[in-house]
Every structure is written in structure tokens, then in C-alpha cells.
Amino acid sequence: MAGLKGKDILHGNQFSRKDIDGMIQIASDMEKELKKKDSLTLLKGKILATLFFEPSTRTRLSFETAMQRLGGGVISMASAEGSSAAKGETVGDTAKTVSQYADVIVIRHPRIGSAKEAADAASVPVINAGDGAGQHPTQALLDTYTIRKELGSLKNLTVSMVGDLKNGRTVHAFVELLSLYQARLYFVSPGNLRMPEEITSNLKQKGIWIEETEDLEKAASESALIYVTRIQKERFADLTEYERVKGSYVIDSKFLQRLKKKITILHPLPRVDEISLDVDSYPGAAYFRQVRNGVFVRMALLAMVMGRR
Ligand code: NCD
């Protein structure tokens, strides 16, 4: 796939159907390879730098795992507080500096647009692992791969996106990818956490069917998949506002019984209280399988960006 060679990965809208279908194929090959051996040599000698200015468990560890499984090496900052950002260095200067060490950079930062700034300054490909309430394109890729594995196909799905659609960067990126497959979308959120108008109108212009609602049960009963997200506490200027909306939607086994049909449940994680623990054993609860898929997808993406696939 020459398509992504040398490219920055910044936004869910940058991919074509061909890119995604190619990535799914390569991720699936990676998954098969890892069943045969512990690691590959595809990126031997290459170095990935992870720059995380915001907390992360899955994204950072799965990128680091992916690079090491490909035979490459990883360098990373211990924390934002432990880096020169604490002395006032700009994201651009940090990215320029790290370009002197690494062959590819993965960055997470609390400000929208920061990954683009890093990419503009860097001389190596930059991958956006979350820019504030903006975008999280690699999560969207692994979500897409997970649907393909769980449901067999991506075409003409009805999906309910649930939770903090205003601040959730995973949903902002994921809907872009779903729109390539003509998904029908329910946006289920409290009134003050609706999907940004710009994203919704953009999708509608592309001919995507969207219904915004606060009624989770109705939306879920008409969906094959629900994508549940956490209320993004750290994005609230006013914490009393957070207290008012937290716990708005909770998926528990009683809810699933009322649905009277099997549904697939994804969540980018971490969860707070929006999926209760008794759901974990439900056959359609795919969120920990989704975590594992992150490694294969990030392997595929790194190989593609480095021009090795
Ligand atoms: C998400 C994120 O950081 O945006 N987590 C992740 O990368 N899997 C979701 C979240 O924090 O709610």
C-alpha cells in the first residue's frame, strides 16, 4: 500500500475506502503472523517516538507493542512534566527535535490542532494519538477493524454512538470512517453533549442518514452495534455541569435483556460507569477484543507509513 507511505496520520477524513480496506487486510496478515511467531523484522532498525502530553494506557502501550512486534525500537518521554514542554518549549520545536532521533512520531496532546502543528514542524511522519477534543484517527481504524471481525462486514450498518459526542475525539474520527461505508448513525447524547454541528452537517451533506436522540433504548433496538463512550470529565470547565450529566447512559445486563436481541458493544475505554461489569461476559461485549485489535492495526499502520507495506 503505497497510499500512506511517508504520510502524517492526523484526521479521520483523510482516508479513502481503498486505504481502509488495504489496512484491514494488512492488519489481518499481522494478526496471522503473530499467531506463528512472537515478532517480525519488518521495521528492524527503525525507531518510534511516543510523545504523550496527556494520560494514556492503551494507545501508548499498543503503539509501543506494535513497534516492538515489528522488530523496531521505541523511545518515549516519561511524562509531559518531565519534558521540555514544562520549560515552555512549543510542540513544533519538540517535534523538530524528536525528528532528529526517530523515524516516526506518535503524539497525544490536550490541544486541538497540536498534532498538525507537530506534523508541520517534523521531518518524519507524525501520527495523531488524540489532540484534545479533536481527532483520534488510529482509534477509529482499530474500531473499524473490530467491526469487520465481529460483524463480518462494514456495509450499511446501523450504529448508535452513545455518550459524550461533543468532547469525544474517538467518535469524531470514527464517524468519518463509518461514512465511507454508508452507515446509518444514531447520535445518542445528553442535549449539551451533542456531536459538533460541523461534523453532523458535513456527514449529512455526504448523504449519511443521522438521527440525534436522547433515547438510547430506541436507538439501540434499531442498531447492530452500539459504540459507548465516557463523559470526558477533563474537558469540562465547570465540574458541576459534569456532575449533572455523568451517569446519563448506563449499559447493564437489565438493559440488554430489555433489548431482546443480540447487539455488539464497542467502547474505546477507559470506562467509568457507562458499561457495568456484568456486561463483560455478554457475547457481544467486544471492547477487550477491540483493545487487542489495536496492536494489529497499529502494526499495519506503522508498516504502511514507513513504506514497508
Ligand atoms: C480514548 C481517548 O483517549 O480519547 N481512549 C483511547 O485512546 N482508547 C477515549 C477516552 O479517553 O475516553
Side-chain angles (χ1 to χ4, degrees):
M1 277 293 300
L4 298 182
K5 181 179 176 185
K7 292 258 171 76
D8 301 311
I9 305 298
L10 299 176
H11 199 291
N13 70 6
Q14 79 181 80
F15 304 108
S16 66
R17 256 297 268 278
K18 206 166 147 230
D19 290 331
I20 305 302
D21 292 340
M23 184 277 306
I24 288 174
Q25 185 55 52
I26 296 165
S28 161
D29 293 344
M30 296 293 180
E31 182 167 0
K32 282 188 204 119
E33 289 289 312
L34 285 192
K35 287 208 172 96
K36 289 186 258 171
K37 39 188 171 226
D38 290 336
S39 63
L40 319 181
T41 53
L42 205 60
L43 294 187
K44 189 161 183 280
K46 297 288 181 193
I47 291 180
L48 162 73
T50 52
L51 309 180
F52 279 68
F53 296 93
E54 257 194 352
S56 170
T57 298
R58 278 150 290 269
T59 305
R60 175 168 171 166
L61 292 181
S62 64
F63 262 115
E64 296 189 356
T65 303
M67 191 61 176
Q68 296 201 28
R69 296 269 188 217
L70 286 166
V74 175
I75 57 172
S76 61
M77 284 175 353
S79 66
E81 298 75 44
S83 80
S84 284
K87 303 179 190 167
E89 184 166 61
T90 63
V91 169
D93 277 358
T94 301
K96 227 178 224 174
T97 300
V98 176
S99 298
Q100 312 304 316
Y101 310 138
D103 302 291
V104 53
I105 295 172
V106 174
I107 183 168
R108 169 172 288 183
H109 191 281
R111 193 160 38 78
I112 294 180
S114 51
K116 170 87 170 68
E117 273 170 43
D120 289 345
S123 53
V124 299
V126 169
I127 300 175
N128 180 6
D131 59 328
Q135 284 278 313
H136 192 349
T138 70
Q139 179 70 41
L141 292 171
L142 80 89
D143 298 339
T144 306
Y145 183 69
T146 302
I147 295 184
R148 181 63 186 278
K149 275 181 70 182
E150 296 287 326
L151 294 168
S153 166
L154 287 159
K155 287 185 203 107
N156 305 316
L157 275 179
T158 302
V159 179
S160 289
M161 317 287 287
V162 185
D164 187 349
L165 307 185
K166 177 179 179 218
N167 299 303
R169 56 197 175 198
T170 66
V171 286
H172 298 169
F174 191 30
V175 292
E176 299 288 348
L177 265 59
L178 287 171
S179 75
L180 295 174
Y181 297 87
Q182 284 79 47
R184 289 160 46 91
L185 302 172
Y186 280 102
F187 291 164
V188 186
S189 70
N192 59 342
L193 297 179
R194 287 169 61 182
M195 184 69 86
E197 160 61 22
E198 195 195 337
I199 296 180
T200 308
S201 60
N202 224 325
L203 293 168
K204 283 185 178 163
Q205 258 169 34
K206 289 196 225 165
I208 302 301
W209 184 94
I210 292 171
E211 187 168 313
E212 296 188 80
T213 176
E214 297 192 21
D215 186 348
L216 173 61
E217 210 157 317
K218 176 185 170 285
S221 69
E222 288 167 26
S223 300
L225 177 94
I226 50 177
Y227 189 91
V228 187
T229 64
R230 168 179 77 86
I231 309 284
Q232 308 274 304
K233 183 178 182 182
E234 68 275 33
R235 311 277 178 232
F236 284 70
D238 175 3
L239 278 185
T240 57
E241 187 57 21
Y242 169 75
E243 293 297 329
R244 205 175 61 74
V245 288
K246 80 167 192 208
S248 294
Y249 297 105
V250 175
I251 312 288
D252 55 17
S253 55
K254 283 202 192 86
F255 173 84
L256 293 171
Q257 273 157 24
R258 283 202 303 276
L259 272 188
K260 294 195 192 76
K261 64 161 194 172
K262 187 192 168 220
I263 196 158
T264 299
I265 307 167
L266 298 188
H267 190 311
L269 302 178
R271 73 174 143 191
V272 183
D273 55 7
E274 59 281 352
I275 299 181
S276 59
L277 293 179
D278 61 6
V279 173
D280 292 2
S281 56
Y282 176 75
Y287 30 92
F288 287 106
R289 297 192 287 278
Q290 184 183 0
V291 169
R292 178 149 185 82
N293 292 334
V295 174
F296 313 130
V297 166
R298 289 178 170 127
M299 285 175 78
L301 190 67
L302 288 170
M304 291 166 88
V305 166
M306 301 308 294
R308 298 290 172 89
R309 274 294 180 274

